[in-house]
Amino acid sequence: MTMMTMKRRTLLQGALLAPLGAAAAAAAGGRKVLRTAMNSAEVGFDPPQVSDQTSVQVNAHIFEAPLAYDYLARPAKLVPLTAAALPEVSDNFTRFVVTLRPGIFFAEHPAFGGRPRELVAADYVYSIKRYYDPRIKTEHLYVYETARLLGLSELRAAAIKDKQPFDYDRPVAGLRALDRYRFEIRLAAPDPRFVHVLASGNYAAALAREVVEQAPDGDVMAHPVGTGPFRLKSWRRGSLVVLERNPGFREQYFEAEPAPGDAQGQAIARHLQGRRLPLLDEVHLSIITESQPRWLAFVGGELDLLELPTEMAPHALPRGQLAPALARRGVHAYASYGGDIRFSYFNLDDAQIGGITPERVALRRAITLAYDNEAELRLIYKGQGVLAQSMLPPAVYGYDPELRSEAGRSDAARAQALLDLYGYDRRDAEGYRTHPDGSRLALRKAGTTDARQRQLNELWKKRMDAVGLRMEFEQATFGELIKKSLAGQLQIWGYTWSIGSPDGDFFLGMAYGPNAGQSNDAHFRLPAFDRLYERQHVMPDGPERLALMREANRLMLAYMPYQVHAHTLRVDMCQPGVQGFMRHPLTRDWWRYVDVPEQRA
């Protein structure tokens, strides 16, 4: 793997073979329907309020940010989406002016009075302000607070202090519409990479104020209306999300720049060049939480496109090659390393494991040493990934390929020695270690209820028992766990985070003190780290910034607010007849490019 690139390898190449498989049975009457599935239930469809992968995936096709990334270019390349061009940047990266393309319309909605409603600059001003509204529960406010948009934090603070509704109409210096199609963002300090925020559908998506304010019972999450290529047709919560082509979507024609040696990208470019998007009439997204039923649905032709469940890798990819039975059917498999990091966090506000005193740091480091990431990757994830050494994935700026850390190895003997040295040498009546003062010590790890989580819990229990640490578990849905995490109610929890920008600043920001309760799930607060983070944040890329990033990264490893596990190898399986799909390392806006055969009545 190389920094700032996504390593890709095509496991099966060649002509698409008949029969057309799942795509042929997907729909009737000349319609194109893509059927796919996710492994976790959606929370809802309001960008500020969600961060789970399923909701974000759906939102990426309903809402649009001003910018996007070229679908095929590697390394990632910013391109205009609803903007007419890339932003004008001035005043040492503190002023950004975005000019929108005229003639872009929101999907039809009664709130618009039966008339088409054009996207205007004021929509982005309103949508960004929503992140500051205290009534909206979001874990993404840090994105803008870190960038320090002038006047908006003060506007939020006034609403909280006065216990009044957030004043969306009050002018602020940091965010304003200059005219119908131009809006301006002003920052208190330089932010050379802020432009990437404007390419995130989860941070800079345009919503219409009248739709939000007229949502039935205020339930914005169930009534998404955007300018994107699809709109929500139906929704059975936790079961099926159906998107349909937005009939008012503008004329958008495929353009992309694949690398010269990229065979998959070049093939997609040939197939899609000059075609109007989107190509699909509908997308049916099923929620199938268990791996085996999800895989059987693909094998049985009920799904056209699926990320391979890692547990099924030995069956689908024996010895790294596509299984002969799948190859004979014309199934294609594409593997990629993007910017994913699978990790667990320790809540440093928790009475059992929190704090930054030497004995608590030693406890967290001992837990990390006692656990076996290699066994987790080999036994549970079937080798589909590489061991992580820190929170910075290979695809981001700041990654250190030479770094080796405690997280990348298991050493139970050293874990025991650390625990003994720092006062955890006493045992209770059941043989488990106590705190240095003799009080009960219990680790409590949160997780979902699926089969993989049960395997993970067994491994955690076995490894912690081996060093005398009591391990307990609590279970809930992913959405419930997110709510508890934001409220600081979980002691230890883990999941996978995928990057939305080709820079390591986001992952360092997960340990930045002011982000506690948002991206900083660990509630880690260390002034020395905060100073390093703030210094690197305002610097342009170069040796000085890189040195500060790596110093900050080492502080995270030393204090261990996060325990890293692995970077995921994702394998996407496509039935014959599915064309145009290519996983992008930074975005999830894929379905507008996917093509399936047209169906006969």
Side-chain angles (χ1 to χ4, degrees):
M1 294 177 291
T2 59
M3 187 166 55
M4 298 291 287
T5 63
M6 181 177 73
K7 175 184 177 184
R8 294 179 293 106
R9 57 187 176 95
T10 303
L11 299 174
L12 179 71
Q13 293 181 339
L16 297 176
L17 305 176
L20 295 177
R31 294 174 63 77
K32 295 185 175 185
V33 179
L34 175 74
R35 297 173 301 170
T36 185
M38 300 289 282
N39 64 0
S40 61
E42 72 295 333
V43 173
F45 310 118
D46 183 24
Q49 299 190 68
V50 300
S51 59
D52 65 287
Q53 61 175 347
T54 304
S55 301
V56 171
Q57 179 83 45
V58 174
N59 284 343
H61 297 85
I62 296 175
F63 303 103
E64 294 182 300
L67 307 180
Y69 292 96
D70 184 299
Y71 183 51
L72 301 179
R74 307 292 187 272
K77 176 186 175 184
L78 280 170
V79 294
L81 186 56
T82 62
L86 295 181
E88 303 170 33
V89 183
S90 58
D91 297 347
N92 190 26
F93 298 102
T94 63
R95 181 174 184 264
F96 301 79
V97 176
V98 178
T99 301
L100 301 181
R101 182 182 302 146
I104 296 175
F105 292 87
F106 285 98
E108 292 181 4
H109 191 273
F112 302 140
R115 300 180 303 276
R117 163 72 152 76
E118 188 179 26
L119 173 71
V120 295
D123 293 314
Y124 281 108
V125 172
Y126 167 74
S127 298
I128 293 173
K129 281 185 174 180
R130 291 188 71 231
Y131 289 83
Y132 289 85
D133 188 338
R135 295 172 300 179
I136 296 175
K137 303 303 180 184
T138 180
E139 61 176 297
H140 307 305
L141 174 59
Y142 73 93
V143 172
Y144 292 108
E145 287 197 322
T146 302
R148 298 170 60 190
L149 277 67
L150 293 170
L152 279 162
S153 294
E154 291 80 2
L155 194 60
R156 174 182 170 85
I160 295 173
K161 179 182 177 182
D162 299 336
K163 298 181 180 179
Q164 296 294 320
F166 184 81
D167 190 352
Y168 284 93
D169 297 313
R170 181 177 171 182
V172 292
L175 180 62
R176 61 185 183 132
L178 300 178
D179 54 39
R180 184 172 179 82
Y181 298 115
R182 293 189 306 145
F183 68 94
E184 175 190 64
I185 295 174
R186 284 188 174 272
L187 311 179
D191 191 339
R193 288 154 295 278
F194 178 78
V195 68
H196 289 285
V197 174
L198 301 176
S200 171
N202 221 37
Y203 305 145
L207 283 75
R209 183 172 182 173
E210 57 266 55
V211 172
V212 174
E213 293 180 346
Q214 293 184 28
D217 302 318
D219 188 7
V220 183
M221 299 273 268
H223 301 88
V225 176
T227 63
F230 296 97
R231 64 183 183 182
L232 184 64
K233 180 180 181 180
S234 63
W235 178 23
R236 296 204 306 267
R237 292 175 186 266
S239 177
L240 178 67
V241 180
V242 177
L243 300 181
E244 64 180 355
R245 181 201 302 268
N246 175 6
F249 188 62
R250 64 189 177 276
E251 290 191 12
Q252 182 188 40
Y253 295 89
F254 178 82
E255 290 182 276
E257 297 181 6
D262 180 357
Q264 183 188 0
Q266 292 287 342
I268 291 172
R270 287 192 297 271
H271 179 73
L272 297 182
Q273 190 60 44
R275 298 181 68 181
R276 185 174 178 178
L277 305 175
L279 302 168
L280 299 170
D281 293 296
E282 289 188 359
V283 177
H284 293 189
L285 176 64
S286 298
I287 309 302
I288 309 175
T289 57
E290 294 290 350
S291 297
Q292 188 174 39
R294 197 164 63 252
W295 173 241
L296 291 176
F298 178 82
V299 173
E302 299 170 22
L303 299 173
D304 305 303
L305 172 64
L306 180 70
E307 181 182 334
L308 176 67
T310 54
E311 297 90 335
M312 300 299 117
H315 307 286
L317 302 170
R319 297 175 299 280
Q321 300 297 317
L322 193 65
L326 296 174
R328 286 193 295 270
R329 285 174 46 187
V331 170
H332 282 226
Y334 302 101
S336 62
Y337 282 105
D340 297 344
I341 176 72
R342 190 167 68 250
F343 65 91
S344 298
Y345 73 79
F346 301 108
N347 182 353
L348 269 68
D349 286 340
D350 183 81
Q352 291 284 317
I353 63 169
I356 58 174
T357 58
E359 65 272 13
R360 291 300 176 87
V361 173
L363 174 60
R364 295 192 296 271
R365 293 177 73 168
I367 293 169
T368 299
L369 284 165
Y371 191 65
D372 193 339
N373 279 331
E374 189 278 331
E376 177 188 280
L377 182 61
R378 174 171 45 85
L379 299 174
I380 301 174
Y381 290 93
K382 307 304 179 185
Q384 300 298 291
V386 293
L387 294 178
Q389 302 296 330
S390 81
M391 288 293 289
L392 297 183
V396 303
Y397 185 84
Y399 170 72
D400 183 356
E402 304 301 321
L403 178 65
R404 296 294 178 268
S405 70
E406 290 175 341
R409 62 182 178 180
S410 175
D411 193 334
R414 189 163 171 228
Q416 301 242 39
L418 260 179
L419 292 168
D420 290 343
L421 179 63
Y422 282 89
Y424 298 94
D425 52 342
R426 300 167 67 177
R427 306 270 180 152
D428 61 18
E430 297 176 79
Y432 288 111
R433 295 177 184 269
T434 69
H435 284 290
D437 63 3
S439 61
R440 187 176 187 269
L441 170 58
L443 308 180
R444 188 165 182 82
K445 195 170 193 305
T448 53
T449 59
D450 56 88
R452 177 189 289 171
Q453 187 64 55
R454 292 192 290 272
Q455 290 181 291
L456 288 168
N457 290 351
E458 290 174 5
L459 181 59
W460 271 96
K461 176 69 172 166
K462 177 181 178 182
R463 299 300 299 182
M464 295 304 109
D465 278 351
V467 297
L469 291 173
R470 184 191 306 272
M471 193 85 203
E472 300 171 347
F473 303 95
E474 61 178 302
Q475 295 178 323
T477 66
F478 192 85
E480 291 168 342
L481 291 172
I482 289 176
K483 292 177 183 178
K484 288 186 174 184
S485 180
L486 289 174
Q489 296 172 350
L490 302 180
Q491 185 192 99
I492 307 171
W493 185 36
Y495 52 91
T496 297
W497 198 284
S498 300
I499 59 171
S501 165
D503 191 83
D505 181 274
F506 167 81
F507 292 100
L508 296 180
M510 292 175 71
Y512 183 50
N515 291 347
Q518 297 186 67
S519 69
N520 183 353
D521 289 311
H523 293 248
F524 180 59
R525 302 174 184 87
L526 184 70
F529 178 91
D530 291 348
R531 288 193 296 270
L532 285 171
Y533 176 80
E534 289 164 355
R535 287 174 60 194
Q536 67 81 30
H537 185 78
V538 301
M539 287 182 175
D541 292 346
E544 186 177 358
R545 179 178 183 242
L546 197 59
L548 291 175
M549 294 179 75
R550 291 180 175 176
E551 186 178 350
N553 194 29
R554 284 177 169 81
L555 278 180
M556 289 177 70
L557 291 168
Y559 284 88
M560 204 61 73
Y562 295 93
Q563 175 185 358
V564 298
H565 299 301
H567 306 298
T568 306
L569 174 67
R570 297 186 180 275
V571 179
D572 295 294
M573 311 291 291
C574 296
Q575 297 282 8
V578 176
Q579 298 190 60
F581 173 81
M582 184 171 176
R583 180 180 290 272
H584 194 282
L586 305 181
T587 68
R588 293 174 174 82
D589 179 13
W590 306 322
W591 297 333
R592 78 170 76 199
Y593 306 103
V594 174
D595 193 15
V596 298
E598 212 172 81
Q599 312 307 317
R600 297 187 181 92

